[in-house]
Amino acid sequence: MRTPAAERRQHVIAEVELLAGLRDPDDLARALGYQRPCHLDVMLRRWGRGDLADKTQQRRAEDRTDTSFRRPRRGRWAA
């Protein structure tokens, strides 16, 4: 017989496997009941699914490399 915690773990892992590359990490974490993506990342690693945690964080790292939205620097910090 499965405990509610084991059922929750299986549900979260299945959802992350399905949606990791399709949804934004913030959106995915909130859809699964976590406030922040780092909380989801910690739980996945505790459950031995570091591969899924890396997959969700990979999308986040790709989003961070897009600097087209940043304003140009001004003043003494300008290049």
Side-chain angles (χ1 to χ4, degrees), residues 16-32:
V16 172
E17 285 176 342
L18 182 65
L19 300 172
L22 304 174
R23 292 178 81 171
D24 181 59
D26 295 316
D27 186 39
L28 179 61
R30 286 200 180 110
L32 293 172

Side-chain angles (χ1 to χ4, degrees), residues 7-62:
E7 289 179 11
R8 167 95 172 126
R9 180 176 61 237
Q10 291 300 321
H11 171 73
V12 169
I13 288 172
E15 290 293 320
V16 172
E17 285 176 342
L18 182 65
L19 300 172
L22 304 174
R23 292 178 81 171
D24 181 59
D26 295 316
D27 186 39
L28 179 61
R30 286 200 180 110
L32 293 172
Y34 295 93
Q35 283 186 329
R36 300 177 65 201
C38 64
H39 298 155
L40 176 60
D41 182 43
V42 167
M43 291 309 294
L44 288 169
R45 292 187 190 283
R46 279 186 191 165
W47 295 332
R49 294 305 307 259
D51 59 324
L52 292 178
D54 292 339
K55 193 173 181 181
T56 59
Q57 294 303 318
Q58 179 182 6
R59 172 98 189 252
R60 190 169 197 59
E62 289 170 1

